[in-house]
Amino acid sequence: MALNMARLPRHFSRALPLHIILRGNNRTPIFSADADYKHFKGALLDAASRHKLAIHAYALVSNHIHLLASPGGPESVPKTMQSVGRRYVQYFNLRYDHTGTLWEGRYRATAVDTENYLLACMRYIELSPVRAGMVNHPRDYAWSSYAANAEGKDDMLITPHGLYTSLATDVCARRIAYRDLVTAAMNETVD
């Protein structure tokens, strides 16, 4: 006899950032053109704003996404991800004459220890396109938060986390300090 098991509810703390991962079904591409990335990013910006999800870092890679985000309330993450998922799947299916699910399953959300792991998680996310061999340096990838966090490019999606802003009181010094952290992480993977 098969048991029908309901999904367990997820509980999110307002004070605890999360590393959120959402993959394409069977790791197939979920983005095929710049317009796809733009549509997803726009849907994410709209949903995160409406549901009070502060996004500190992101990488939209061909077959998955990474977000580092802090929920403003218990429903911030589920409502944001539900909204983005619905809007983007509808867009993708119409654009590519696709049917069925686009996602591998539910998104994964892992709590991030702010003191020990937050900046490492930011670097990990923004280095995702480098690890995937898509670019040699994260500044060369258009669909991540690296340009905002390391170089000061305007990105309406990004809300700096307090640990990031504590890298330096001066904005330019903060960006340099963050770039140094990313460079150190890149050198560790090469060694």
Side-chain angles (χ1 to χ4, degrees):
M1 178 167 90
L3 293 176
N4 233 351
M5 299 196 61
R7 290 181 178 173
L8 294 175
R10 300 181 196 197
H11 300 283
F12 301 110
S13 169
R14 186 174 170 189
L16 198 58
L18 301 165
H19 180 188
I20 301 166
I21 302 171
L22 184 61
R23 295 193 182 281
N25 195 26
N26 293 319
R27 303 206 179 197
T28 56
I30 56 174
F31 303 109
S32 296
D34 283 350
D36 302 343
Y37 292 97
K38 288 177 187 172
H39 189 86
F40 187 92
K41 192 173 171 185
L44 180 58
L45 176 61
D46 177 60
S49 297
R50 268 189 293 120
H51 301 294
K52 297 177 178 44
L53 183 67
I55 297 174
H56 313 301
Y58 68 89
L60 310 180
V61 187
S62 60
N63 65 356
H64 68 282
I65 65 156
H66 288 276
L67 304 174
L68 176 61
S70 294
E75 293 296 312
S76 296
V77 176
K79 294 285 188 191
T80 297
M81 298 308 290
Q82 181 183 52
S83 175
V84 171
R86 284 182 178 162
R87 283 179 62 184
Y88 188 73
V89 170
Q90 182 180 31
Y91 158 86
F92 187 91
N93 285 351
L94 284 170
R95 179 176 171 106
Y96 295 104
D97 197 27
H98 185 267
T99 59
T101 186
L102 183 60
W103 310 119
E104 185 175 77
R106 290 172 83 185
Y107 62 89
R108 291 186 327 202
T110 306
V112 175
D113 177 343
T114 53
E115 293 300 317
N116 297 315
Y117 187 58
L118 186 116
L119 294 173
C121 186
M122 284 180 67
R123 292 182 316 216
Y124 176 82
I125 289 169
E126 292 174 352
L127 286 170
S128 185
V130 175
R131 284 191 314 279
M134 301 168 81
V135 293
N136 291 323
H137 195 280
R139 76 173 153 259
D140 301 326
Y141 193 72
W143 305 107
S144 85
S145 53
Y146 179 83
N149 289 322
E151 298 174 349
K153 181 180 176 193
D154 284 337
D155 190 331
M156 293 177 59
L157 198 53
I158 294 300
T159 301
H161 188 276
L163 278 178
Y164 167 79
T165 59
S166 72
L167 288 172
T169 55
D170 175 69
V171 174
C172 291
R174 182 180 311 135
R175 291 180 192 138
I176 290 168
Y178 184 69
R179 284 195 302 265
D180 289 346
L181 290 172
V182 172
T183 300
M186 287 176 67
N187 291 339
E188 288 172 11
T189 59
V190 172
D191 294 341

